[in-house]
Amino acid sequence: RIDAAPSVFSTDETPNTFEEITTYNNFYEFGTGKEDPARNAGALTTDPWSIVIDGLVDRPGTYDLADVMKDQPLEERIYRFRCVEAWSMVIPWIGFELAGLLNRVGVQPSAKYVAFETLVRPEEMPGQRQPILEWPYREGLRLDEAMNPLTILATGLYGEEMPKQNGAPIRLVVPWKYGFKSIKSVVRISLVADQPQTTWNMLQPSEYGFFSNVNPQVDHPRWSQASERRIGAGLFAGRQDTLMFNGYEEQVASLYAGMDLVANY
Amino acid sequence: MDRLNQIARRVPVNAVYLAGVLPFLWIVWLAFSGGLGVDPVKAIELRLGELGLQFLVAGLFITPLRWAGLNLMRFRRAIGLLAFFYVGMHLLTWVILDMGLRWEEMAADLVKRWYIIIGMIGFLAMVPLAITSNNAAIRRLGAAAWQRLHRLTYVAALAGAIHYVVLVKAWPVEPLIYLGVICLLIGARLWRNRRHSAPQVV
């Protein structure tokens, strides 16, 4: 078991089971079906693994995973996870704050955004043999979002190493945003001056904004975001109300003070 | 082909009804035995909807098969009613299991969401078809009017397939295959009708 300290940011809601978390995934690199990642991710090589950290940083370079994690305190973060498809889970991640890594590599003052990329390796990631999305999968955060203590790089869950279908060996988790922002199997982190391109926004800009904060008042053009189905709640459990910023309003609302959240969806 | 027709003549229509409800019973069994994965609600909804579409497509195949010499007309009513059954159960699954009877949210979806609107059009188009799928209705309406009414099948099938294409993220192939096959089946009828009604050049 991985040693990880408890966190004040953890919810006391009951986490979903390991089986639920690891057999119901959106990870299009391994197929578009929810069961595809669990079925197809086994062949992914996660060791060795390195991350390119570049752009507007003092110490750019190719960092080995162990080096990326060096001296970063691991915590268990039990977070709500809300998918843009209106389902949700509660997941006991293990990870460290992204801010810790960014501070270590030295963010230059001109950096305003952080851009992330997922591994491209079609021979191990069968979904990438089709142009379903434009590979590599890309995501991005504004620098203040990246520096928020809720934002973590997760390397495990339920006390174990990150399962491959969940984004092994290291992935982003941004709990107040829709799940697709939490990019998996990260191989590149770039500090940049301008808002980076992000995969779902490139595919369908009217439906998937750069911010994609969980917001029950701003509907997806094709479906309501007012409520969600909690996975594992049972056949007749119905739905629960979706919370503003997925329930993390207290920690993140100030990031968006004065911003029009309908225009900046 | 004659052999196939002979075999088809010997199959009782009730056997089609019976075979048609087996997938439903299978889904119910899986739902209560935990065989539908961690999100049984979505799985039930998807499977019922797909079965509805599959029966609609099967119904649309009857006429072109008859052009080719295979007569399965006796089974068309059963196939149509089974399609209605599955689409109806799909709708009920949405109302009860998926939306959890949140009437206000559903009402909002029904005026705002294209895939819900299109899906509902498809269902509503099937209601008069199901009601008139009996001999008494054919007698009362007259064969010609009954046939005209039952062209709503094309609306239902197209709406069902478009509903599926519109609700998914990105462009997976399955919904597009349904839409493609249905367009081909309807297109074949249009093409044949035009050829048959064109003035004959002697």
Side-chain angles (χ1 to χ4, degrees), chain B residues 1-12 74-75:
Chain B
M1 200 58 87
D2 284 343
R3 256 188 74 81
L4 279 177
N5 278 320
Q6 263 173 21
I7 295 168
R9 258 197 299 278
R10 255 180 273 141
V11 176
R74 291 168 57 228
F75 307 118

Side-chain angles (χ1 to χ4, degrees), chain B residues 128-161:
Chain B
L129 304 183
I131 294 173
T132 57
S133 282
N134 53 73
N135 294 341
I138 298 176
R139 273 195 303 275
R140 198 165 334 128
L141 287 168
W146 186 92
Q147 282 230 316
R148 261 200 311 279
L149 176 69
H150 278 246
R151 287 194 192 132
L152 279 174
T153 308
Y154 309 141
V155 176
L158 274 177

